[in-house]
Amino acid sequence: MGDVFTARVPAELTQAISLAETNADIYIAEYNVYMGHLLNNENQKLFPEDMVLLSHWNLRDEIKSNYANLENGLEKQDMIYTVMKHIINQTIPEKVINSGEYDWNPIENKVYQDGNEVELSAEPDTRYLQILNNFNANKATDEYYTDYNTFIKRAFSGAKEIPQEEIEKLFDEYLSSPVVKEVGKVISKRLGRDLKPYDIWYDGFKARSSISGETLNEMTREKYPDAKALEADLGNILKKLGWEKERAEFIASKVTVDPARGSGHAWGAEMKAENAHLRTRISSKGMDYKGYNIAIHEFGHNVEQTISLHDVDYYMINGVPNTAFTEALAFIFQKRDLQLLGFKNDNLDKEYLENLDLYWSVFEIMGVSMVDMKVWKWLYENPEATASQLKEATVSIAKEVWNKYYAEVYGTTDEAILAIYSHMIASPLYLTNYPFGHLIDFQIEQYLVGKDFSDEVDRIWSIGRLTPEIWMQEAVKESISIKPMIEAAEEALKHIN
Ligand SMILES: [Zn+2]
């Protein structure tokens, strides 16, 4: 009940926080790189004329998609990484951001207009000014909180209900586990070259599905021509997952399906008389496979929302400890989407590959999240810092994290790549949610193996909004742990090697 009573922060300070966040959002949303205007040292343009990529998401995804490009994929990947370094170090010419007015050779960092070299000034640490603005706006409210008197405490002990120190310890253990060197060797062997820093995004463990996309689209379109058809089938989906008829129908009756304008989302009810809403995109041709896959994810959220509202003993603790715990059930459902369409997954290799893929991507995002946390700690130790001092500190923290956990695997030191994430600018201290969510999800999945799926889901998600640690002990009989994921990676290595 204590959570209901929050601090009384003056409205103008709350507004200042939202203004700083909005400005940072806009800054990031307009941070595009005009790839068709990038030149290599031979004055060649490697990317399509009209390709415009948003930093960092699209840049990262372009690196990923070039693993399959044997012609000049490596050169493209190298060039994107060079661009990223200019963004992190703020040596990027300001006028090439979000503009195709100039041609830019990022290798030499020279800019051309109509073939003639021109002098342009670098971005003036605006990237770091955004973080600083977020910091100052949040810090201004510290004195209104008795216990959670820093933004770090509010983001961790408050919102995530887990102290920052515990998260850092958990991540440090994972990042220090020796298995990473073995996984790195496998990747290097598969690539046929030494690892490059951007191989933190290696995605070659993805197992190709044997069922064609068109076949899947046809199936889901026929099955779900509109939102009502999906709604009518929710009870069946639950029965296929093992729920008894009566229970399946009860849960299904508490979920309403609406067509979505965006991609999809799940909105839980706050009172038992109301329904949870599943929103998903359905075109006039019916629901395609991508929409179906998302709908099953959202349905997992709805099932969590329904169980944790109706079956938690006390209304005041309805729900789950934090977003990771609702995402866990959403992913558990989503992974079973093909099974629900009647396909069997008996390809063991696929599971090994998926576990290595997960292990490697969690290793990447944990490092990124480490940098985010350490930057905020540095800010609290240096509250008077300027944007340019913050830049120096961020780059050196990123290199420090790299040197500690990554250098040995990659064979290079002092790489700042972990500081490229846009979340650090626009969503302060959010990044932790991803690796933390993966750990929880994986631990629960491992626990569910060989158990009665529906009974366990009913039991686990009716625990309520305890702290993450107590919730996990009740749910899977052990503390939050990195072990299941490490062990799965070790097991996978034995079979893939
Ligand atoms: Zn979700």
Side-chain angles (χ1 to χ4, degrees):
M1 284 186 76
D3 288 340
V4 177
F5 299 94
T6 51
R8 298 186 179 194
V9 177
E12 62 269 25
L13 296 185
T14 314
Q15 282 166 351
I17 293 176
S18 98
L19 182 67
E21 273 185 23
T22 306
N23 286 338
D25 265 341
I26 295 169
Y27 169 80
I28 289 299
E30 292 175 348
Y31 210 110
N32 290 296
V33 178
Y34 280 62
M35 305 304 283
H37 291 263
L38 297 185
L39 299 170
N40 68 8
N41 283 347
E42 280 75 48
N43 270 326
Q44 292 162 328
K45 293 179 172 175
L46 306 177
F47 297 92
E49 175 66 33
D50 57 351
M51 183 185 252
V52 175
L53 300 181
L54 185 67
S55 177
H56 71 285
W57 297 275
N58 297 159
L59 292 173
R60 175 200 62 191
D61 292 345
E62 184 62 19
I63 285 183
K64 285 188 179 187
S65 70
N66 271 292
Y67 279 109
N69 170 6
L70 298 176
E71 189 205 333
N72 61 354
L74 195 61
E75 190 185 1
K76 284 180 164 181
Q77 290 175 320
D78 280 338
M79 184 175 271
I80 297 168
Y81 182 43
T82 307
V83 169
M84 285 180 164
K85 284 195 273 195
H86 285 302
I87 294 172
I88 294 166
N89 292 309
Q90 295 283 274
T91 42
I92 182 171
E94 192 175 20
K95 291 205 169 140
V96 307
I97 303 165
N98 216 26
S99 161
E101 208 186 323
Y102 301 92
D103 287 338
W104 177 34
N105 172 339
I107 306 155
E108 304 280 331
N109 205 12
K110 286 183 178 161
V111 185
Y112 302 87
Q113 193 171 34
D114 307 321
N116 303 313
E117 193 182 337
V118 286
E119 284 291 324
L120 288 183
S121 52
E123 186 180 18
D125 301 335
T126 321
R127 177 179 178 85
Y128 297 94
L129 183 63
Q130 305 299 329
I131 303 182
L132 211 51
N133 291 343
N134 274 327
F135 169 71
N136 286 324
N138 279 293
K139 186 172 173 292
T141 68
D142 285 355
E143 59 177 296
Y144 297 93
Y145 295 86
T146 41
D147 289 329
Y148 299 154
N149 59 354
T150 67
F151 179 69
I152 301 174
K153 286 186 194 162
R154 292 193 286 282
F156 286 89
S157 300
K160 300 187 231 305
E161 305 219 15
I162 185 161
Q164 187 272 333
E165 295 78 8
E166 275 182 39
I167 292 268
E168 192 173 326
K169 190 168 159 277
L170 202 63
F171 287 9
D172 173 72
E173 264 177 63
Y174 186 97
L175 290 167
S176 307
S177 74
V179 68
V180 66
K181 282 183 215 110
E182 299 310 312
V183 183
K185 276 182 206 156
V186 171
I187 294 175
S188 170
K189 201 168 132 197
R190 286 165 83 99
L191 287 171
R193 60 164 170 78
D194 290 342
L195 292 184
K196 301 247 190 183
Y198 51 76
D199 292 328
I200 54 173
W201 295 306
Y202 174 74
D203 81 336
F205 287 132
K206 295 261 184 302
R208 304 262 171 268
S209 172
S210 53
I211 316 147
S212 83
E214 218 17 70
T215 310
L216 291 171
N217 283 339
E218 272 168 32
M219 281 183 84
T220 56
R221 280 181 193 141
E222 193 189 311
K223 214 166 153 86
Y224 304 120
D226 53 34
K228 284 282 153 256
L230 176 63
E231 188 175 307
D233 199 40
L234 294 179
N236 274 326
I237 292 178
L238 291 174
K239 276 185 254 167
K240 282 185 204 162
L241 290 170
W243 270 274
E244 299 287 342
K245 184 169 180 286
E246 202 180 320
R247 176 74 179 158
E249 281 165 8
F250 169 75
I251 297 175
S253 76
K254 292 290 168 191
V255 181
T256 303
V257 181
D258 313 313
R261 294 182 186 196
S263 71
H265 95 153
W267 190 256
E270 290 292 320
M271 54 196 262
K272 292 179 184 172
E274 289 295 326
N275 270 16
H277 286 257
L278 191 166
R279 289 171 184 143
T280 186
R281 198 158 199 167
I282 304 179
S283 82
S284 55
K285 286 191 284 180
M287 181 184 270
D288 62 19
Y289 172 68
K290 191 161 195 254
Y292 163 79
N293 175 272
I294 292 171
I296 297 298
H297 173 99
E298 303 305 340
F299 186 43
H301 281 301
N302 295 133
V303 170
E304 172 276 304
Q305 289 157 350
T306 302
I307 297 172
S308 72
L309 174 66
H310 288 264
D311 299 320
V312 172
D313 289 347
Y314 301 99
Y315 177 80
M316 297 308 288
I317 57 160
N318 82 77
V320 286
N322 65 44
T323 52
F325 296 80
T326 178
E327 287 304 337
L329 193 59
F331 284 121
I332 286 167
F333 268 59
Q334 193 172 9
K335 274 178 229 163
R336 287 159 174 76
D337 71 329
L338 291 177
Q339 175 195 328
L340 290 168
L341 287 177
F343 295 101
K344 277 205 181 71
N345 178 17
D346 39 23
N347 182 353
L348 248 181
D349 263 5
K350 184 165 174 272
E351 201 181 319
Y352 293 134
L353 287 170
E354 277 170 2
N355 286 347
L356 284 178
D357 186 58
L358 182 66
Y359 171 82
W360 195 249
S361 64
V362 167
F363 196 87
E364 175 256 340
I365 195 78
M366 263 187 197
V368 171
S369 159
M370 268 292 200
V371 174
D372 195 19
M373 291 190 281
K374 284 174 189 283
V375 165
W376 273 81
K377 287 207 268 185
W378 183 89
L379 277 166
Y380 265 99
E381 286 157 14
N382 300 276
E384 307 294 328
T386 63
S388 123
Q389 287 166 331
L390 174 59
K391 173 181 76 178
E392 303 298 326
T394 305
V395 170
S396 97
I397 288 168
K399 288 179 179 175
E400 188 188 299
V401 171
W402 178 273
N403 291 346
K404 184 166 179 191
Y405 303 113
Y406 296 73
E408 233 189 300
V409 190
Y410 286 80
T412 49
T413 54
D414 286 341
E415 302 288 349
I417 191 168
L418 299 167
I420 191 61
Y421 267 64
S422 295
H423 300 74
M424 282 185 65
I425 318 303
S427 314
L429 296 180
Y430 185 83
L431 281 163
T432 321
N433 288 322
Y434 298 115
F436 188 68
H438 282 307
L439 287 179
I440 302 283
D441 173 24
F442 196 81
Q443 209 171 345
I444 297 174
E445 273 277 8
Q446 295 297 100
Y447 172 82
L448 287 173
V449 174
K451 299 200 173 57
D452 186 297
F453 182 80
S454 55
D455 283 359
E456 287 297 324
V457 170
D458 275 336
R459 180 186 70 79
I460 292 174
W461 274 272
S462 59
I463 292 171
R465 207 180 140 204
L466 307 179
T467 62
E469 179 55 29
I470 305 290
W471 194 96
M472 281 300 272
Q473 282 172 12
E474 298 241 342
V476 303
K477 322 289 179 213
E478 53 183 33
S479 295
I480 299 167
S481 162
I482 59 159
K483 266 201 214 117
M485 214 185 273
I486 303 278
E487 283 167 5
E490 286 167 346
E491 182 64 23
L493 277 176
K494 283 187 212 155
H495 295 267
I496 297 301
N497 258 333

